Amino acid sequence: MKTFTLRSFIGMFFGGFIAVLYTNAIILFGGFEMIDGSLFVKNSIGSIFCGWFFTVSSMYYENRNLKLSQQTIFHFLPS
């Protein structure tokens, strides 16, 4: 459980970090002076979720009690 929590926080951090960097790059290099706040929040939440999902989903492969075929099936099933 400790590993899951640690990886969750790391994934959410990097997802949010990438969302902010991407938004700043669009504002600086795209010529936009303002952004839509609700769109920013939606995209940030999506990036945070993707960061969390990609860091946590690899934990299936660390469980040695499952066969490789079971690990692969669980990895591709929606959470």
Side-chain angles (χ1 to χ4, degrees):
M1 190 65 174
K2 183 178 178 182
T3 304
F4 178 79
T5 305
L6 179 66
R7 286 191 185 184
S8 293
F9 282 122
I10 290 171
M12 290 187 293
F13 169 76
F14 279 112
F17 182 69
I18 289 171
V20 170
L21 282 181
Y22 182 73
T23 303
N24 286 334
I26 287 176
I27 291 171
L28 291 174
F29 302 117
F32 292 101
E33 294 182 13
M34 294 181 73
I35 60 171
D36 184 15
S38 63
L39 186 61
F40 173 74
V41 170
K42 288 178 188 176
N43 288 334
S44 296
I45 291 172
S47 294
I48 289 169
F49 176 74
C50 285
W52 171 80
F53 185 73
F54 286 128
T55 55
V56 173
S57 64
S58 65
M59 291 179 66
Y60 287 120
Y61 294 106
E62 296 174 8
N63 187 352
R64 299 293 175 199
N65 296 329
L66 297 173
K67 297 178 195 174
L68 181 60
S69 59
Q70 292 172 328
Q71 292 170 344
T72 305
I73 290 169
F74 286 141
H75 180 78
F76 284 108
L77 287 176
S79 297

